């Protein structure tokens, strides 16, 4: 990709000649006669270099540098100086100017200087990209995973995040439904608004309507003050309704009108207030199934089901469990100010064999207990695998222990692939991928059984 260069000089002939020099060297040059023209072309995403004369009418090169530094202090600025400007240019370098070139200058001197500046800017932009990726990974918690299902879920979330479409999320307890809702909010233009969450199963019927729609003083016994409801409070942001299947029937009827009209009427008043909301609803059951839907209104289901997302339970993506455990253990170690202990073979056996009915939430708590040394009896049983040496980072230790568990399981089943896969609880393709990654030869275990 060609590096952009903004070249500023009020001397038309010199501007033209210098632009040609840089273009022949492979740069994408934008020649400008005034410094003020450059300001409108620069922001923190500018990935190039600025080359400017110092002495110019109006805004000079030093003033231009100050303006650029205020936008992004890491944009390289090269100043072209006359002989009398050298002391000024040296002072400018102390203030953060990348370099200066004294007139007259050989073309190669300018080209080399711009090349170095471009390399520096490239490193800065790459470092920012990596930091953004790291923050994104943190934001993706606990949607961590390398399985195709999780990749597809993350991609879908990013595609729909910045739209106002209502979303229905289905997943078991602890699978991360609220995290999905927060990601949709955080990745959207609504992120500056409020994220308001309400668990429909945690409130009695006589309270939930007041919580959702708000009320005026005297609307009911005990309503002494005006209360803004969750719906109105989330206007401009996102309303997350958890355990939607538990919403009372009378409230469902009112919610249907809110969804259709985008307006709310607080209890105790006839005033209709418009609201700008996006609703992300979550359910533990499949509302598309009439038997599971039970008393939940079909018309409300179809009104909410514009986009439907399903979060897979951990038992259906077992390949992600060691990675998630590593993440949670490292996080717990920082929180409790302890060293993350090397995962024992018993812990990895538990990770591989447990069904995780509480999903990611249960795994997170398990990792915390592991860091605190509080393991349940099922995870304290020993295996024949060698003890972990404690060398390397936690993911590396997990890799070694995983390889040993696969070897032990192959040995226990005489190298039989079908029995080994069943015992490990992983897909066939994943099994062969792990054999290749760990350098395990299956027939070695077949030979041992035969012998």
């Amino acid at each position: 990709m060609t590096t952009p260069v903004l070249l500023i000089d009020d001397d038309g002939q010199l501007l033209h000649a210098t632009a040609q020099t840089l273009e022949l060297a492979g740069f994408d040059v934008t020649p400008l006669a005034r410094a003020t023209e450059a300001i409108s072309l620069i922001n923190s995403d500018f990935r190039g270099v600025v080359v400017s004369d110092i002495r110019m009418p109006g805004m000079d090169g030093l003033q231009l540098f100050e303006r650029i530094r205020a936008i992004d202090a890491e944009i390289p600025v090269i100043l072209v100086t006359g002989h009398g400007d050298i002391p000024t240019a040296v002072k400018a370098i102390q203030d953060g100017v990348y370099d200066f070139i004294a007139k007259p200058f050989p073309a190669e001197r300018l080209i080399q200087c711009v090349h170095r500046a471009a390399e520096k800017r490239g490193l800065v932009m790459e470092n920012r990209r990596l930091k953004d990726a790291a923050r994104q990974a943190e934001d993706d918690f606990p949607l961590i995973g390398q399985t195709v299902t999780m990749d597809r879920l993350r991609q879908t979330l990013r595609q729909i995040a910045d739209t106002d479409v209502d979303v229905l999320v289905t997943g078991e307890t602890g699978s991360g439904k609220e995290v999905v809702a927060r990601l949709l909010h955080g990745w959207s233009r609504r992120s500056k608004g409020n994220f308001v969450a309400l668990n429909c199963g945690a409130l009695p019927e006589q309270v939930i309507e007041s919580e959702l729609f708000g009320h005026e003083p005297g609307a009911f016994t005990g309503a002494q003050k005006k209360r803004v409801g969750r719906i109105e409070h989330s206007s401009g942001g996102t309303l997350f309704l958890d355990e939607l299947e538990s919403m009372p029937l009378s409230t469902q009827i009112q919610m249907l009108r809110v969804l259709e009209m985008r307006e709310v009427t607080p209890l105790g008043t006839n005033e209709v207030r418009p609201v700008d909301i996006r609703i992300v609803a979550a359910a533990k059951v499949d509302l598309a199934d009439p038997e599971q839907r039970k008393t939940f209104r079909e018309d409300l289901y179809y009104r909410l089901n514009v986009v439907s997302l399903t979060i897979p339970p951990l038992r259906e993506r077992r390949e992600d469990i060691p990675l998630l455990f590593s993440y949670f253990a490292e996080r717990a170690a920082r929180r409790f100010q302890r060293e993350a202990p090397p995962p024992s073979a018993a812990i990895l056996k538990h990770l591989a064999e447990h069904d995780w009915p509480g999903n990611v939430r249960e795994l997170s708590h398990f990792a915390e207990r592991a860091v605190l040394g509080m393991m349940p009896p099922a995870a304290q049983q020993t295996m024949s695998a060698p003890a972990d040496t404690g060398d390397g980072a936690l993911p590396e230790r997990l890799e070694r222990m995983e390889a040993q568990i696969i070897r032990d399981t192959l040995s226990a089943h005489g190298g039989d692939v079908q029995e080994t896969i069943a015992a490990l609880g992983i897909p066939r393709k994943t099994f062969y991928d792990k054999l290749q990654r760990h350098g395990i030869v299956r027939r070695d275990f077949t030979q041992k059984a035969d012998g």
Side-chain angles (χ1 to χ4, degrees):
M1 186 178 292
T2 307
T3 301
V5 176
L6 297 184
L7 178 64
I8 307 104
D9 199 319
D10 62 320
D11 184 331
Q13 290 185 339
L14 184 58
L15 179 67
H16 179 71
T18 307
Q20 280 191 326
T21 297
L22 293 174
E23 286 171 350
L24 289 172
F27 295 104
D28 180 12
V29 183
T30 301
L32 303 168
R34 295 183 180 276
T36 51
E37 298 175 17
I39 295 299
S40 62
L41 302 177
I42 294 175
N43 56 38
S44 59
D45 293 327
F46 178 69
R47 55 182 180 83
V49 180
V50 177
V51 180
S52 175
D53 192 17
I54 286 186
R55 295 194 178 186
M56 294 181 293
M59 182 186 294
D60 62 24
L62 293 174
Q63 292 171 322
L64 173 63
F65 164 66
E66 291 297 332
R67 292 285 298 275
I68 292 173
R69 184 165 66 170
I71 297 171
D72 184 345
E74 294 183 291
I75 294 177
V77 177
I78 300 170
L79 295 179
V80 179
T81 70
H83 180 72
D85 296 323
I86 291 179
T88 303
V90 172
K91 173 64 169 60
I93 285 181
Q94 295 173 345
D95 292 337
V97 166
Y98 179 77
D99 204 349
F100 72 91
I101 299 176
K103 298 177 183 177
F105 53 84
E108 192 58 32
R109 167 81 172 89
L110 175 64
I111 291 171
Q112 289 178 355
C113 187
V114 175
H115 267 303
R116 290 195 302 271
E119 289 176 0
K120 178 184 177 182
R121 184 60 177 170
L123 290 173
V124 166
M125 299 302 285
E126 176 63 11
N127 188 43
R128 289 180 183 177
R129 187 191 68 79
L130 292 174
K131 286 182 178 179
D132 287 342
R135 280 193 295 268
Q136 175 184 320
E138 189 72 17
D139 290 342
D140 284 350
F141 158 80
L143 296 182
I144 298 170
Q146 300 171 333
T147 53
V148 174
T149 305
M150 296 307 292
D151 282 341
R152 190 178 299 125
L153 178 58
R154 285 191 294 266
Q155 291 172 10
T156 302
L157 289 176
R158 291 199 173 277
Q159 288 171 356
I160 66 173
D162 211 22
T163 68
D164 285 335
V165 63
D166 294 328
V167 179
L168 179 61
V169 185
T170 303
E172 295 181 2
T173 298
S175 58
K177 296 185 290 296
E178 183 168 348
V179 174
V180 165
R182 288 187 179 277
L183 289 177
L184 285 170
H185 175 75
W187 290 343
S188 74
R189 57 177 174 270
R190 291 180 171 269
S191 59
K192 295 181 181 178
N194 295 320
F195 177 87
V196 180
L198 178 70
N199 189 315
C200 300
L203 297 173
E205 184 173 351
Q206 60 270 27
V207 175
I208 191 171
E209 290 188 10
S210 174
E211 285 289 327
L212 278 172
F213 306 105
H215 63 254
E216 295 295 313
F220 52 85
T221 303
Q224 299 177 353
K225 297 181 180 180
K226 174 181 178 179
R227 177 181 177 84
V228 176
R230 303 287 183 98
I231 296 173
E232 191 173 353
H233 186 54
S234 67
S235 187
T238 304
L239 176 64
F240 174 58
L241 299 176
D242 198 7
E243 296 192 25
L244 185 69
E245 70 278 6
S246 302
M247 180 178 284
L249 186 58
S250 60
T251 310
Q252 294 179 37
I253 297 171
Q254 293 172 285
M255 278 303 302
L256 186 60
R257 179 170 179 80
V258 171
L259 285 164
E260 291 174 345
M261 307 303 294
R262 301 289 162 168
E263 61 186 28
V264 63
T265 303
L267 302 179
T269 180
N270 293 323
E271 180 185 355
V272 176
R273 300 172 187 170
V275 288
D276 171 24
I277 60 171
R278 179 199 202 168
I279 293 181
V280 179
K284 293 184 293 186
V285 300
D286 183 6
L287 294 178
D289 182 354
E291 291 186 5
Q292 295 187 50
R293 189 166 63 233
K294 296 181 180 178
T295 60
F296 193 84
R297 290 178 63 97
E298 186 178 19
D299 51 358
L300 181 56
Y301 162 69
Y302 284 117
R303 184 62 187 81
L304 278 170
N305 190 31
V306 181
V307 172
S308 182
L309 301 174
T310 300
I311 306 177
L314 272 184
R315 62 181 176 276
E316 293 181 6
R317 55 183 186 107
R318 288 189 175 275
E319 307 95 297
D320 291 334
I321 292 176
L323 178 64
L324 281 161
F325 176 80
S326 172
Y327 172 84
F328 289 132
E330 293 286 359
R331 191 185 66 170
R334 292 194 300 268
R335 175 184 170 190
F336 300 133
Q337 297 183 343
R338 294 192 177 192
E339 289 291 327
S344 65
I347 286 178
L348 283 179
K349 183 175 185 292
H350 185 72
L351 293 177
E353 295 180 352
H354 187 57
D355 278 342
W356 303 104
N359 291 290
V360 175
R361 186 182 297 127
E362 181 186 358
L363 179 59
S364 172
H365 294 164
F366 177 80
E368 291 177 356
R369 292 194 297 272
V371 171
L372 293 172
M374 301 169 59
M375 286 289 92
Q380 291 177 345
Q381 297 172 359
T382 57
M383 290 177 57
S384 60
D388 186 87
T389 62
D391 297 331
L394 184 57
E396 296 173 7
R397 299 177 196 172
L398 284 169
E399 285 285 299
R400 292 198 296 269
M401 299 304 292
E402 180 184 72
Q404 188 59 50
I405 286 177
I406 293 173
R407 292 189 183 97
D408 287 345
T409 309
L410 276 168
S411 179
H413 295 282
D416 185 279
V417 172
Q418 193 61 39
E419 292 181 5
T420 302
I421 289 174
L424 292 173
I426 60 176
R428 180 179 292 269
K429 182 180 184 305
T430 301
F431 172 71
Y432 281 110
D433 287 344
K434 290 182 183 297
L435 291 185
Q436 183 175 6
R437 186 168 78 242
H438 296 306
I440 299 173
V441 181
R442 185 187 64 83
R443 63 174 174 271
D444 291 348
F445 299 90
T446 305
Q447 291 168 356
K448 289 178 183 178
D450 294 342

